[in-house]
Amino acid sequence: MADRLAGKVALITGGASGIGRQAGLLFASEGAKLVIADVDGAAAERTAAEVRARGGTAEAVACDVACSEDVRSAVDRAERSYGALHVLFNNAGIFPAEDGSPVETPEAVFDRVLAVNTKGVFLGCKHGIPALLRAGGGSIVNTASFVAVLGAATSQVAYTASKGAVLAMTREIAIEYARRGIRANALCPGPVNTPLLAELLASPEARQRRLVHVPMGRLAEPIEVARAALFLASEESSYVNGTTFLVDGGITAAYVTPE
Ligand code: NAD
C-alpha cells in the first residue's frame, strides 16, 4: 500500500460504478478509509467488499444524493466509523437518454438531473463541510464535466446546465472556505468509458461523431480520471483551489483534431 491518503477518511458518492468505483479502489490503496455511498446500495457494498478484499478499509451506505437525510447519514457514518471526514468526493451523477435539446427534454427529466447532479453536490457540501471543519480542514472534489465549459450540437441541456452549476458552486465554496483549511476543485472529465456513456455511444456512428473531437481519438478510462481525483484529494495539490480541473485528453484545447 502506498500512503498518499494515509490517515485520511474519504466519502465517495456514486462510488459503486465507473469513476467513483475506481477512485474508491485507488484511494484505499493509498491508505484512505472509505465510505462508499451510492443509490445502488448493493453495488456500493460490492465495491466496499472489493476494497476490503484488497486489504483496504471501506463501508458502504445506500444514499440518494438528492435526499438531504441520506447525505447527512452518509457523512455521519464517516465520522462515527472513523472519527472524522477529510475528503469529500461529490461524484454521483446521471445522464438520462431523454435529456436533449430544451424543446424536447421533459421537465421532469430536467428536474431530476438538476436534483442529482447539482443539488446532490450542494447537499454533499451542506452536510460535509461542517465535518471537514471539525477535522481541521480537507479537500472537496466535485465532479463536473468538460461540457460545463464547451457546447455541443449533440445537446443534453439538463446535464450541461447541471454541470455548469457545479463549476460555479465549486468556485464559490473554494473561496469562502480557503482560510479555514478547505480546498474545493471541480474535476471535469472528458468522455469516459463507463456505464454512464454506454447507451449514448452504443452505435459506431454515435461513437465516431464524438471521438472525432477528441485529439487522442479515444475515451478516457475511469482510472485515468480517478488518478486526477486522487491528486486533488491529497495534499499533493495543497495550493490547487477553485480550479476547473480538466482531464479531457485535450478536447478543450483543440480547434482542429488530427485526421
Ligand atoms: P457511472 O454511471 O458509472 O457511475 C455513477 C454512479 O452514481 C452509479 O454507481 C450510480 O448508481 C450512482 N448514482 C446515480 N444517481 C445517484 C444518486 N441519486 N445518488 C447516489 N448515487 C447515484 O458514471 P460515471 O461515468 O462514473 O460518472 C461519475 C461522474 O462523472 C458523474 O457525475 C458524471 O456526470 C461525471 N462525468 C462522467 C463522464 C463520462 O463520460 N462518463 C464525463 C464527464 C463527467
Side-chain angles (χ1 to χ4, degrees):
M1 284 233 190
D3 61 359
R4 294 160 75 188
L5 289 176
K8 303 293 185 193
V9 177
L11 169 61
I12 302 176
T13 70
S17 173
I19 296 165
R21 177 178 164 278
Q22 282 298 333
L25 296 171
L26 184 61
F27 286 17
S29 76
E30 293 288 342
K33 297 186 176 97
L34 301 182
V35 173
I36 309 274
D38 202 287
V39 73
D40 185 341
E45 183 47 49
R46 283 196 293 280
T47 302
E50 206 177 337
V51 168
R52 293 193 295 269
R54 296 179 185 198
T57 305
E59 294 184 10
V61 291
C63 165
D64 177 353
V65 294
C67 168
S68 195
E69 265 319 298
D70 281 9
V71 179
R72 187 202 302 272
S73 304
V75 170
D76 283 354
R77 173 71 84 88
E79 289 192 305
R80 270 192 286 114
S81 295
Y82 307 126
L85 178 68
H86 308 99
V87 173
L88 178 60
F89 187 16
N90 289 310
N91 166 76
I94 55 171
F95 186 43
E98 307 81 17
D99 185 11
S101 75
V103 175
E104 67 201 13
T105 303
E107 286 183 43
V109 170
F110 189 89
D111 288 345
R112 183 63 187 161
V113 171
L114 271 285
V116 175
N117 293 7
T118 306
K119 189 177 175 193
V121 171
F122 160 73
L123 290 174
C125 293
K126 182 176 188 58
H127 299 300
I129 286 173
L132 296 178
L133 290 171
R134 284 191 286 276
S139 175
I140 300 172
V141 182
N142 294 330
T143 307
S145 167
F146 74 108
V147 302
V149 299
L150 274 185
T154 50
S155 74
Q156 39 190 25
V157 72
Y159 185 83
T160 299
S162 75
K163 295 301 190 179
V166 169
L167 210 55
M169 183 163 46
T170 304
R171 276 196 293 266
E172 204 147 270
I173 290 164
I175 307 311
E176 181 166 1
Y177 292 95
R179 295 191 183 188
R180 284 184 270 173
I182 296 178
R183 295 180 297 110
N185 290 286
L187 179 61
C188 297
V192 190
N193 186 17
T194 72
L196 190 98
L197 274 195
E199 195 178 339
L200 182 76
L201 301 184
S203 78
E205 298 76 38
R207 182 169 282 259
Q208 199 43 38
R209 174 88 169 90
R210 285 167 178 78
L211 282 185
V212 73
H213 298 290
V214 184
M216 293 170 80
R218 65 171 178 85
L219 303 178
E221 291 303 319
I223 186 67
E224 296 179 286
V225 181
R227 287 192 198 113
L230 170 63
F231 171 70
L232 294 173
S234 78
E235 282 304 304
E236 288 170 13
S237 60
S238 54
Y239 203 63
V240 181
N241 191 32
T243 60
T244 299
F245 201 92
L246 286 151
V247 183
D248 69 354
I251 294 173
T252 50
Y255 170 41
V256 177
T257 51
E259 298 271 340

